[in-house]
Structures are given as structure tokens and as C-alpha cells.
Amino acid sequence: MLTLQTIKADPNFVVERLAVKGFDGKKIINDILDIDAQRRRLQQKCDSDAAELKKLAASIGALMKQNKKDEAEEVKTRVAEIKEATKELQQQLEKSEKDMIELLLTVPNLPNSEVPEGKSAEDNVTVKTGGTMPQLSEDALPHWDLAKKYNLIDFELGVKVTGAGFPFYIGKGARLQRALIQFFLDSASEAGYTEVEPPFVVNSASGYGTGQLPDKEGQMYHVTVDDLYLIPTAEVPVTNMYRDVIIPKAELPKKNCAYSPCWRREAGSYGKDVRGLNRLHQFDKVEIVRIERPEDSYAALEEMKSHVENLLNSLGLPWRILRLCGGDMSFTSAITYDFEVWSAAQQRWLEVSSVSNFETYQANRLKCRYRDDDKKIKLCHTLNGSALALPRIVAAILENNQTPEGIKVPECLQKYTGFNIID
């Protein structure tokens, strides 16, 4: 969440930047400032009463030594009155602090100055493209037909066992999944990321830490009996490794990668764009997460973008990078770059990665901090990115690499699959 200091430093600037995300923040920012003023008045009164209590307590002892018991009793009565009043003040102070947090949690992160204005995906800006567009025959098949033809993925069986959006991967389809996961993990390790295998369910504190709660509560699967959530991305458990942690400056940056299955309810999704692997409720993904000093985080963001770009080049897929506009960004992000690959048979771009810098927004919720050279405790910057999400990568590989002889496997995957063609 935004720090109170950020809001108080320039409320008008905060309101202006929130408007880039389509968020009308004038009233809520004013409400936050009003509660802060009330909180400070209450705190000053509590501090004043505490100082008076200290003086009165000292005077009681002096009066007793002087055998002025009646005066001492009067002072004791005054002490009791102040203590009772202080209890009420403390309750009001706790309520104002709770109200403050509840309001701050409803305010999105401020978009970086480079974020373009816009309301939807149509307003995103293409910043880079790469790869070669494949030339397919007129009878080229979409990936869901290829999956059936070569017995790679069984969507109907997934519907029977679980429901729509939970496919079975079979034979070489399963082997291709495993190959991609290992290739992505090995590539991340070579780039200096430490691999972790996190839990695949998290508690609500973790959801709040990275901003999935309360913003995306309806999109997560909730294990109600134990009040746990199936993770929508490994970002959640991996970033929460650093919740309530003060990191020595010398240990920064923290660079982690993790494979996990991901679960998303995708409530409200429908239509042609959800067919096959285009949109699933369960899918596999390798995530990269970084904890950085503020002055280093944008250089780290560029490194992460280059890492994803290299993966797509290795896979031989045509790609483009989009800088998301304010209206298409997530609640918690300061800036996001989406990577898309070209699906030749579908004739459309498919999102396969989002790389984001959250600046201090997540870190403030997480209390993820570091100790600087001046010994001061400061908030870190957090970043994450998909490197990569598998379903649409698989869709593009199957469609773009289809030939009369079968589907060619990208060379970088062949040592993992053990075969170079799917036939």
C-alpha cells in the first residue's frame, strides 16, 4: 500500500497519478488526511496525559512523605480519572489507525511516470518486437486440434474429472510440459536466481502482503475450512519469504525463481478467447522474484525483461513487448510490461508474461525492509515476472511449428524431451 508519507508529501500529485489508473482518489485521499489529523490529535492528548500521570505519580509519593494523606487521595482520584479517560482515548486511537489502514488498502499503487494514459488493452504501447513470423499452410490447425491429433492434451477428460479449464497432459504433451519447466528453471539459475520450491497454498496474511487480498479475493480458490488460498502465482509465497524481514544491505538483491502450479477462478471469462489453452483455471508457471534497493530496481526491471526476451528467442517464437497503460495495469503495480507471442493458427497475440515493478507498494504491506549504510531502516522495492507461463507457450509452439511430418520441438528443449518431433 502507499505510505502515509507519500500521500502527505503531495496529495494533489497522488490524486493526479491515481487518475492515470482510472481511480478517482480525491475523496479517499482527503479522508485519509482527515483521519491522520485526528489520529495525531489523539496521540498528542495521550502523550500529554501520560506526562501528567508521571508527574502526579511522583507527587503522590512526596505528599505521603509529608503526611498529606488527604491531598494524596485527591491526586489518586485525579490519576484514576485520567487513566479512565486515557483508555477511551486509546480505543479511539486504535479505531482511527484501523480505519486508516482499511482506507490505504483500497488505494492502488501510483503508476510510474512512463506509464501511458489509457483505459484498456487497446491503449497499451508496443515498445519492442522480435522473432520471425511463421508461414503456415492454409490448412494449419489450432493447438486444440493438434493436441487431439497427436494425443497430447485431453480437455474433455479434464472436464469429466474436475471441470472446464483443468486439462490432462498426456504422453509427449506431458513430457513437453516438464521440459519447458526445467528449461525455464535452468535458465533462471544460470541468470543468478536461487531456486525455491514454495508451498502451493498460503494464508490470508500472505495474500494481503502481495496485494491479492482484498483486491482479487474473488479470483482465488479458497480452502474455507483451513482459511487457506491456492496460489494464483508463485509470486505470492516467494515474495512473502521476506515479510516482516529487515535485510542487511549487503545481502541485496534477493533473486529467487520458483516453479508452481497456479490456480485462478477467472470468474466471468467466456467466449472464443478461452478455448483450448488460451485461458485455464490451473496451469504451470516459472516465476522470477527480486527484492531490490530503490535505486537499483529499474535496472533490475530491465534485466528481467531481457531474461524473458532471451527465453522467447531460444524457443524461436515471434514476440512483442507492451508497456501497459494505466487502465490496464494491476492494482499493485507501478509499471508493467507484458510479453506476447504470435499464435500462427489463431492469428492472434497471446500474453505469456508480465514483468512488473511494484516499488515500495508491496514492501510496505509486507514490512519488507533493509538497513542502509546510515543504519536507517528503509522499504525495499519488489519486482516479479513470469519466466514463463506455460499454456500459451505450448499453444504457440504447437501451432507455429506444425509441419506435414509433425510438430518440430524447439532445439533448446530437445535435451529435456528426448525427441525432436511430435508425430
Side-chain angles (χ1 to χ4, degrees):
M1 60 188 173
L2 295 181
T3 64
L4 184 58
Q5 291 87 342
T6 297
I7 294 173
K8 291 171 66 175
D10 194 341
N12 291 331
F13 172 78
V14 170
V15 171
E16 289 173 4
R17 294 311 299 162
L18 289 173
V20 175
K21 280 192 169 183
F23 185 87
D24 185 357
K26 187 173 183 179
K27 182 181 185 304
I28 194 170
I29 294 303
N30 286 335
D31 288 346
I32 288 170
L33 293 174
D34 288 344
I35 291 175
D36 177 59
Q38 179 191 45
R39 183 186 60 81
R40 285 186 286 112
R41 287 193 297 269
L42 290 168
Q43 187 62 62
Q44 288 171 359
K45 178 61 176 170
C46 285
D47 293 343
S48 174
D49 286 353
E52 185 176 357
L53 283 173
K54 186 175 181 181
K55 290 180 181 179
L56 291 174
S59 71
I60 291 172
L63 290 170
M64 292 297 287
K65 287 181 181 179
Q66 297 171 24
N67 203 26
K68 298 179 178 180
K69 294 183 179 180
D70 290 342
E71 291 183 36
E73 289 300 320
E74 290 178 4
V75 174
K76 287 180 181 179
T77 299
R78 175 61 180 154
V79 167
E81 291 172 350
I82 294 175
K83 285 184 175 179
E84 188 62 31
T86 298
K87 285 182 182 179
E88 184 176 343
L89 283 174
Q90 287 288 352
Q91 291 174 353
Q92 293 177 25
L93 184 59
E94 289 174 6
K95 182 180 184 304
S96 67
E97 290 174 344
K98 180 182 178 182
D99 291 344
M100 172 76 72
I101 294 297
E102 288 180 352
L103 282 179
L104 286 171
L105 286 172
T106 66
V107 180
N109 197 2
L110 302 184
N112 180 276
S113 60
E114 293 187 2
V115 172
E117 293 187 8
K119 297 181 179 180
S120 65
E122 285 70 29
D123 300 313
N124 295 335
V125 177
T126 301
V127 296
K128 193 174 183 180
T129 60
T132 303
M133 290 288 190
Q135 300 298 318
L136 300 184
S137 62
E138 292 184 359
D139 60 350
L141 299 175
H143 69 270
W144 51 84
D145 287 337
L146 292 167
K148 186 173 183 178
K149 177 180 178 180
Y150 294 104
N151 194 29
L152 303 174
I153 307 168
D154 195 324
F155 295 101
E156 290 76 16
L157 184 58
V159 172
K160 170 188 172 183
V161 172
T162 306
F166 295 89
F168 274 79
Y169 297 87
I170 298 169
K172 288 186 176 181
R175 190 69 174 262
L176 180 60
Q177 285 280 116
R178 185 153 48 91
L180 282 164
I181 293 167
Q182 195 61 58
F183 170 60
F184 294 154
L185 286 173
D186 286 351
S187 298
S189 295
E190 290 169 6
Y193 292 87
T194 299
E195 182 180 349
V196 297
E197 184 175 328
F200 299 155
V201 293
V202 294
N203 54 31
S204 58
S206 295
Y208 277 100
T210 45
Q212 277 69 32
L213 297 175
D215 181 49
K216 297 183 179 67
E217 187 167 8
Q219 293 295 336
M220 291 196 293
Y221 286 98
H222 189 199
V223 184
T224 54
V225 174
D226 299 303
D227 193 24
L228 296 173
Y229 293 86
L230 276 65
I231 61 172
T233 165
E235 164 204 345
V236 181
V238 175
T239 310
N240 271 276
M241 290 166 57
Y242 305 100
R243 174 157 48 93
D244 297 319
V245 173
I246 298 174
I247 306 169
K249 178 183 175 182
E251 294 184 11
L252 291 174
K254 296 288 188 180
K255 299 172 61 177
N256 292 112
C257 65
Y259 155 74
S260 78
C262 305
W263 292 270
R264 299 182 186 179
R265 293 186 62 240
E266 298 286 6
S269 296
Y270 61 92
K272 63 183 178 64
D273 291 346
V274 305
R275 191 168 182 184
L277 297 172
N278 288 345
R279 193 174 297 276
L280 301 177
H281 293 304
Q282 179 181 322
F283 60 93
D284 293 318
K285 181 158 67 80
V286 171
E287 189 81 357
I288 52 176
V289 174
R290 294 178 70 143
I291 312 295
E292 297 276 353
R293 293 183 301 166
E295 59 266 34
D296 298 330
S297 71
Y298 276 89
L301 181 67
E302 293 304 311
E303 286 183 20
M304 296 170 74
K305 287 164 57 184
S306 295
H307 179 73
V308 175
E309 183 180 320
N310 290 336
L311 293 177
L312 295 175
N313 284 331
S314 295
L315 292 169
L317 297 173
W319 52 267
R320 68 178 184 181
I321 305 175
L322 305 177
R323 185 187 295 127
L324 298 194
C325 70
D328 199 33
M329 288 173 61
S330 76
F331 187 87
T332 52
S333 173
I335 191 167
T336 295
Y337 291 90
D338 272 5
F339 285 75
E340 297 180 336
V341 296
W342 180 247
S343 169
Q346 297 180 76
Q347 290 290 294
R348 58 188 294 254
W349 291 97
L350 303 175
E351 179 198 335
V352 294
S353 174
S354 287
V355 180
S356 302
N357 189 343
F358 302 91
E359 297 185 358
T360 61
Y361 192 87
Q362 285 183 333
N364 191 33
R365 298 169 74 121
L366 292 158
K367 292 186 174 59
C368 173
R369 297 160 292 174
Y370 73 102
R371 192 183 302 278
D372 210 346
D373 291 335
D374 58 8
K375 306 302 180 184
K376 292 183 178 179
I377 305 300
K378 301 178 180 179
L379 289 171
C380 298
H381 277 196
T382 65
L383 306 92
N384 67 53
S386 310
L388 287 159
L390 268 67
R392 295 169 186 167
I393 289 290
V394 171
I397 287 174
L398 297 182
E399 294 182 7
N400 296 3
N401 295 343
Q402 58 183 301
T403 71
E405 293 75 33
I407 300 168
K408 294 181 179 179
V409 176
E411 186 176 349
C412 64
L413 300 179
Q414 291 174 14
K415 66 178 181 179
Y416 301 107
T417 60
F419 49 84
N420 57 18
I421 193 165
I422 299 172
D423 54 14

